[in-house]
Amino acid sequence: MEATQEEIIFYSEKMSSPEPELLQDLHRETHMKVLYPRMLSDHYQGRFLSMLAKIHRPRRILEIGTFTGYSCICLAEGLAEGGEIHTLEMNAELDFIIRPFLKRAGIEEQVHVHYGMAIDSLKNLSGPFDMVFIDADKSNYLPYYHTIFDWVPSGGLILADNVLWDGKVVGEAYQDKETNGIRTFNEFVSNDERVERVFLPIRDGLFVLRKK
Protein backbone atom coordinates (compact mmCIF):
# COMPACT_ATOMS: atom_id res chain seq x y z
CA MET A 1 0.00 0.00 0.00
CA GLU A 2 1.50 3.35 -1.08
CA ALA A 3 2.01 6.11 1.48
CA THR A 4 -0.27 9.15 1.33
CA GLN A 5 1.11 12.64 0.67
CA GLU A 6 0.49 13.52 4.32
CA GLU A 7 2.46 10.47 5.48
CA ILE A 8 5.35 11.37 3.17
CA ILE A 9 5.44 14.93 4.54
CA PHE A 10 5.32 13.66 8.13
CA TYR A 11 8.14 11.21 7.41
CA SER A 12 10.22 13.94 5.71
CA GLU A 13 9.85 16.23 8.71
CA LYS A 14 10.71 13.38 11.09
CA MET A 15 13.92 12.62 9.17
CA SER A 16 14.93 16.30 9.06
CA SER A 17 16.48 18.42 11.81
CA PRO A 18 13.95 19.30 14.51
CA GLU A 19 12.14 22.61 14.55
CA PRO A 20 13.83 24.92 17.10
CA GLU A 21 11.76 25.70 20.19
CA LEU A 22 11.68 29.40 19.34
CA LEU A 23 10.09 28.66 15.97
CA GLN A 24 7.63 26.24 17.56
CA ASP A 25 6.54 29.11 19.81
CA LEU A 26 6.26 31.49 16.85
CA HIS A 27 4.23 28.93 14.92
CA ARG A 28 1.86 28.49 17.87
CA GLU A 29 1.49 32.22 18.56
CA THR A 30 0.84 33.00 14.89
CA HIS A 31 -1.94 30.43 14.77
CA MET A 32 -3.50 31.83 17.94
CA LYS A 33 -3.33 35.54 17.15
CA VAL A 34 -3.11 36.17 13.39
CA LEU A 35 -5.51 35.75 10.50
CA TYR A 36 -4.49 33.38 7.68
CA PRO A 37 -1.78 31.55 9.67
CA ARG A 38 -1.23 29.15 6.77
CA MET A 39 0.89 31.93 5.22
CA LEU A 40 3.55 30.96 7.75
CA SER A 41 6.50 28.86 6.61
CA ASP A 42 6.47 25.47 8.31
CA HIS A 43 9.03 23.22 9.98
CA TYR A 44 10.13 21.40 6.82
CA GLN A 45 10.41 24.44 4.57
CA GLY A 46 12.02 26.42 7.36
CA ARG A 47 14.80 23.86 7.80
CA PHE A 48 15.36 23.91 4.04
CA LEU A 49 15.67 27.71 3.99
CA SER A 50 18.06 27.55 6.93
CA MET A 51 20.17 24.90 5.21
CA LEU A 52 20.39 26.92 1.97
CA ALA A 53 21.45 30.01 3.88
CA LYS A 54 24.06 28.08 5.86
CA ILE A 55 25.53 26.66 2.65
CA HIS A 56 25.50 30.02 0.84
CA ARG A 57 26.54 32.19 3.83
CA PRO A 58 25.06 35.45 2.48
CA ARG A 59 26.16 38.82 3.84
CA ARG A 60 22.97 40.57 2.75
CA ILE A 61 19.51 39.02 2.39
CA LEU A 62 16.37 40.65 1.04
CA GLU A 63 13.05 39.13 2.02
CA ILE A 64 9.90 40.38 0.30
CA GLY A 65 7.07 39.35 2.63
CA THR A 66 7.84 38.98 6.36
CA PHE A 67 4.46 37.91 7.78
CA THR A 68 5.34 37.09 11.43
CA GLY A 69 9.05 36.49 10.83
CA TYR A 70 9.37 32.69 10.69
CA SER A 71 11.26 32.49 7.39
CA CYS A 72 13.32 35.56 8.31
CA ILE A 73 14.59 33.84 11.45
CA CYS A 74 15.36 30.68 9.46
CA LEU A 75 17.34 32.62 6.86
CA ALA A 76 19.21 34.54 9.55
CA GLU A 77 20.62 31.25 10.86
CA GLY A 78 22.93 31.21 7.84
CA LEU A 79 24.02 34.86 7.73
CA ALA A 80 27.71 35.51 7.42
CA GLU A 81 29.33 37.28 10.37
CA GLY A 82 28.29 40.91 10.30
CA GLY A 83 25.51 40.17 7.81
CA GLU A 84 22.07 41.76 7.65
CA ILE A 85 18.54 41.13 6.41
CA HIS A 86 16.16 43.67 4.95
CA THR A 87 12.62 42.32 5.17
CA LEU A 88 9.49 43.98 3.76
CA GLU A 89 6.03 43.64 5.28
CA MET A 90 2.81 45.35 4.22
CA ASN A 91 0.99 44.92 7.55
CA ALA A 92 2.59 47.00 10.32
CA GLU A 93 0.09 45.54 12.81
CA LEU A 94 2.16 42.34 12.82
CA ASP A 95 5.00 44.20 14.56
CA PHE A 96 3.71 43.01 17.96
CA ILE A 97 4.81 39.49 17.01
CA ILE A 98 7.75 40.22 14.71
CA ARG A 99 9.81 42.41 17.05
CA PRO A 100 9.68 40.21 20.18
CA PHE A 101 10.63 37.09 18.23
CA LEU A 102 13.50 38.82 16.44
CA LYS A 103 14.72 39.88 19.88
CA ARG A 104 14.34 36.37 21.29
CA ALA A 105 16.33 35.06 18.31
CA GLY A 106 19.06 37.60 19.09
CA ILE A 107 18.94 39.14 15.62
CA GLU A 108 17.02 42.38 16.18
CA GLU A 109 20.14 44.42 15.29
CA GLN A 110 20.75 42.47 12.07
CA VAL A 111 17.19 42.60 10.72
CA HIS A 112 15.74 45.80 9.25
CA VAL A 113 11.95 45.61 8.93
CA HIS A 114 10.39 47.93 6.34
CA TYR A 115 6.62 48.39 6.64
CA GLY A 116 4.46 49.42 3.70
CA MET A 117 3.78 48.22 0.18
CA ALA A 118 6.76 46.19 -0.98
CA ILE A 119 6.86 47.88 -4.38
CA ASP A 120 7.31 51.22 -2.56
CA SER A 121 9.81 49.94 0.00
CA LEU A 122 12.00 48.59 -2.79
CA LYS A 123 12.44 52.13 -4.12
CA ASN A 124 14.41 52.97 -0.98
CA LEU A 125 16.72 49.95 -1.19
CA SER A 126 19.62 48.95 -3.38
CA GLY A 127 21.88 45.96 -3.78
CA PRO A 128 23.88 43.95 -3.64
CA PHE A 129 21.90 41.14 -2.02
CA ASP A 130 23.45 37.67 -2.02
CA MET A 131 20.08 36.05 -1.40
CA VAL A 132 16.50 37.17 -2.11
CA PHE A 133 13.35 35.44 -0.89
CA ILE A 134 10.10 36.46 -2.62
CA ASP A 135 6.96 35.59 -0.64
CA ALA A 136 4.52 38.49 -0.98
CA ASP A 137 1.49 39.35 -3.17
CA LYS A 138 1.54 36.84 -5.99
CA SER A 139 0.40 39.17 -8.78
CA ASN A 140 3.63 41.18 -8.35
CA TYR A 141 6.16 38.34 -8.35
CA LEU A 142 7.46 39.18 -11.81
CA PRO A 143 7.78 42.95 -11.13
CA TYR A 144 9.68 42.10 -7.91
CA TYR A 145 11.94 39.76 -9.87
CA HIS A 146 12.72 42.44 -12.46
CA THR A 147 13.39 45.01 -9.72
CA ILE A 148 15.84 42.93 -7.70
CA PHE A 149 17.54 40.97 -10.47
CA ASP A 150 20.42 43.39 -11.06
CA TRP A 151 20.96 43.65 -7.30
CA VAL A 152 21.94 39.98 -7.13
CA PRO A 153 25.58 39.20 -8.04
CA SER A 154 26.66 36.23 -10.10
CA GLY A 155 26.28 33.13 -7.94
CA GLY A 156 23.58 34.75 -5.83
CA LEU A 157 20.31 32.99 -5.00
CA ILE A 158 16.72 34.06 -5.68
CA LEU A 159 13.98 32.02 -4.01
CA ALA A 160 10.25 32.27 -4.71
CA ASP A 161 7.60 30.68 -2.49
CA ASN A 162 4.08 29.43 -3.30
CA VAL A 163 4.91 28.76 -6.94
CA LEU A 164 2.45 25.84 -7.01
CA TRP A 165 -0.31 28.01 -5.51
CA ASP A 166 -2.33 25.02 -4.29
CA GLY A 167 -1.89 23.43 -7.71
CA LYS A 168 -3.89 26.18 -9.43
CA VAL A 169 -1.00 27.02 -11.79
CA VAL A 170 -1.38 23.63 -13.49
CA GLY A 171 -3.74 23.83 -16.44
CA GLU A 172 -6.01 26.75 -17.31
CA ALA A 173 -8.98 26.24 -14.99
CA TYR A 174 -8.02 29.12 -12.70
CA GLN A 175 -7.62 32.59 -14.21
CA ASP A 176 -7.70 34.85 -11.15
CA LYS A 177 -5.15 37.63 -10.65
CA GLU A 178 -2.99 35.82 -8.11
CA THR A 179 -2.85 32.53 -10.01
CA ASN A 180 -2.03 34.29 -13.27
CA GLY A 181 0.67 36.27 -11.49
CA ILE A 182 2.39 33.11 -10.29
CA ARG A 183 1.86 31.36 -13.63
CA THR A 184 3.38 34.30 -15.55
CA PHE A 185 6.33 34.41 -13.15
CA ASN A 186 6.97 30.67 -13.44
CA GLU A 187 6.85 30.73 -17.22
CA PHE A 188 9.18 33.73 -17.46
CA VAL A 189 11.74 32.27 -15.07
CA SER A 190 11.65 28.87 -16.75
CA ASN A 191 12.82 30.59 -19.94
CA ASP A 192 15.30 32.99 -18.34
CA GLU A 193 18.74 31.85 -19.47
CA ARG A 194 20.40 34.17 -16.95
CA VAL A 195 19.65 31.72 -14.12
CA GLU A 196 20.00 28.06 -13.26
CA ARG A 197 16.78 26.82 -11.71
CA VAL A 198 15.18 24.01 -9.76
CA PHE A 199 11.43 23.86 -9.10
CA LEU A 200 10.82 22.01 -5.85
CA PRO A 201 7.41 20.70 -4.65
CA ILE A 202 8.24 21.66 -1.07
CA ARG A 203 5.09 22.73 0.77
CA ASP A 204 3.32 25.01 -1.76
CA GLY A 205 6.21 24.99 -4.24
CA LEU A 206 9.61 26.68 -4.02
CA PHE A 207 11.60 27.98 -7.01
CA VAL A 208 15.35 28.03 -6.35
CA LEU A 209 17.31 30.16 -8.82
CA ARG A 210 21.04 30.72 -9.05
CA LYS A 211 22.17 33.72 -11.07
CA LYS A 212 24.84 32.81 -13.62
Side-chain angles (χ1 to χ4, degrees), residues 10-184:
F10 178 80
Y11 184 81
S12 299
E13 290 182 351
K14 184 178 178 181
M15 294 298 106
S16 300
S17 296
E19 183 180 36
E21 183 178 351
L22 171 68
L23 293 175
Q24 292 179 33
D25 291 346
L26 177 53
H27 185 277
R28 184 163 46 250
E29 187 156 344
T30 300
H31 277 74
M32 287 192 302
K33 298 180 179 180
V34 180
L35 291 174
Y36 310 114
R38 71 187 299 266
M39 293 169 60
L40 192 79
S41 291
D42 62 6
H43 166 206
Y44 187 51
Q45 185 187 53
R47 291 305 86 205
F48 182 75
L49 293 175
S50 173
M51 179 72 77
L52 273 185
K54 287 173 180 175
I55 292 170
H56 195 56
R57 299 296 289 170
R59 285 195 58 82
R60 297 187 82 217
I61 297 175
L62 172 62
E63 179 183 48
I64 305 176
T66 315
F67 195 44
T68 56
Y70 191 105
S71 55
C72 181
I73 293 171
C74 292
L75 292 169
E77 293 175 14
L79 273 177
E81 185 176 355
E84 63 177 3
I85 297 179
H86 287 266
T87 184
L88 317 183
E89 174 52 46
M90 180 180 68
N91 186 4
E93 293 183 359
L94 293 175
D95 192 74
F96 82 101
I97 290 183
I98 294 171
R99 296 291 181 183
F101 275 91
L102 293 181
K103 186 173 183 179
R104 281 184 59 185
I107 57 174
E108 70 271 27
E109 299 299 323
Q110 296 168 278
V111 178
H112 311 283
V113 185
H114 305 266
Y115 291 110
M117 298 297 291
I119 206 73
D120 295 324
S121 296
L122 287 171
K123 296 174 183 176
N124 299 314
L125 294 173
S126 60
F129 288 103
D130 309 298
M131 194 174 201
V132 177
F133 182 43
I134 303 173
D135 186 19
D137 50 314
K138 312 312 170 188
S139 59
N140 278 316
Y141 266 36
L142 192 53
Y144 295 147
Y145 182 76
H146 289 317
T147 298
I148 61 88
F149 192 84
D150 288 339
W151 297 351
V152 180
S154 176
L157 298 180
I158 302 172
L159 314 174
D161 197 16
N162 301 117
V163 288
L164 280 172
W165 201 230
D166 287 332
K168 294 178 182 179
V169 293
V170 179
E172 300 296 328
Y174 296 92
Q175 293 295 331
D176 58 277
K177 184 179 179 181
E178 299 290 283
T179 302
N180 282 334
I182 293 288
R183 190 181 287 125
T184 299

Side-chain angles (χ1 to χ4, degrees), residues 177-192:
K177 184 179 179 181
E178 299 290 283
T179 302
N180 282 334
I182 293 288
R183 190 181 287 125
T184 299
F185 170 80
N186 289 347
E187 291 172 357
F188 181 89
V189 168
S190 69
N191 290 290
D192 191 349

